[in-house]
Amino acid sequence: GEPVALRGHGIRVRPPERSRDYRVFGFMSNDISAEINKGIAIASTAREMRRTREAGEKIVLVAGPAIVHSGGDVPLARLVREGWIDTVLTGNAFAVHDMEKSIVGTSLGVCQMSGRAVEGGSRNHLFTINAVNRRGGIRQAVESGLLTSGVMYECVRRPIPFVLAGSIRDDGPLKDVITDVVAAQKAYVEALRDCGMCLMLASALHAISVGNLLPARVRTVCVDMTESVPVKLSNRGTMQAIGLVT
């Protein structure tokens, strides 16, 4: 339903004027570096989340499995539980690692209490997939008492919608995963309606994918261990983007 320009000498673009008020998306746009004060950026991001909520727009989370490996799943689950996340877009890996931690206490076979590899822990990943699939899916795993904590658990309990997009490298995968990538992309598009802010945490694959689907006006926060991911995101036309390298 949007007009499309097919020909002509050009299009005059008038970028919106930036507010004179201090805003994190003003001072950090296109300034991607590990050498920034992350406390300021994170606190400012929290304020932007409040503004997004007050404007009646959705906050969408794009999550990668490193969140679980690094222990970030606990505060993230709290954000979901307290209503700060409206939609979760991710893939097979994040959901499995998150539920593996809840069911057997490991993530990719590494104990999440001691940080040590568990003997035979490499089986836990597929054990989790099979256990959840035998219940019929993630929602049924929560209802049956198999899943008692974690981000996916909070998504079901709240409830908030989630979309798991498949990849050619998935093992399993979970029954909830949409293995047709075209169908998964359409589900992502539908889930992104009315999105005002997007948090992209530790997932190059899904962050770039969602970045290609978002209007440039949507405020995005991309956190990754390498600068290339937020740089790629900004290169694809995301004008309101913060990149945190950590």
Side-chain angles (χ1 to χ4, degrees), residues 31-199:
D31 184 17
I32 299 168
S33 171
E35 299 174 353
I36 62 170
N37 189 318
K38 294 178 178 62
I40 293 175
I42 292 169
S44 299
T45 298
R47 287 193 292 270
E48 291 291 341
M49 291 172 69
R50 290 186 183 276
R51 290 191 184 101
T52 301
R53 181 52 45 82
E54 290 167 0
E57 298 176 317
K58 292 197 303 187
I59 300 173
V60 175
L61 167 71
V62 181
I67 294 173
V68 182
H69 306 330
S70 62
D73 56 308
V74 176
L76 182 57
R78 180 182 171 189
L79 282 175
V80 175
R81 183 168 60 252
E82 296 183 357
W84 287 102
I85 304 296
D86 298 297
T87 304
V88 174
L89 305 181
T90 185
N92 184 69
F94 171 80
V96 175
H97 297 329
D98 177 69
M99 293 188 293
E100 178 189 339
K101 180 177 179 179
S102 173
I103 296 170
V104 292
T106 65
S107 178
L108 270 184
V110 176
C111 175
Q112 292 301 293
M113 296 296 289
S114 67
R116 297 179 179 178
V118 176
E119 185 175 355
S122 57
R123 290 176 267 182
N124 292 351
H125 185 79
L126 288 172
F127 170 83
T128 300
I129 293 173
N130 291 331
V132 172
N133 283 349
R134 272 195 292 268
R135 297 299 197 285
I138 296 173
R139 186 172 304 279
Q140 293 89 334
V142 173
E143 293 170 350
S144 67
L146 174 68
L147 193 61
T148 58
S149 63
V151 177
M152 301 310 299
Y153 169 82
E154 298 295 347
C155 286
V156 173
R157 289 297 302 271
R158 182 149 179 89
I160 67 168
F162 58 86
V163 181
L164 307 184
S167 165
I168 197 172
R169 66 189 181 191
D170 285 344
D171 44 8
L174 292 162
K175 282 189 176 182
D176 298 85
V177 172
I178 304 174
T179 55
D180 182 330
V181 293
V182 176
Q185 187 181 57
K186 290 179 179 178
Y188 267 25
V189 170
E190 187 63 31
L192 287 167
R193 293 186 185 278
D194 302 319
C195 174
M197 187 172 183
C198 189
L199 307 178

Side-chain angles (χ1 to χ4, degrees), residues 10-18 239:
I11 301 173
R12 181 181 295 277
V13 177
R14 298 184 185 275
E17 291 186 11
R18 286 183 172 170
M239 299 176 68

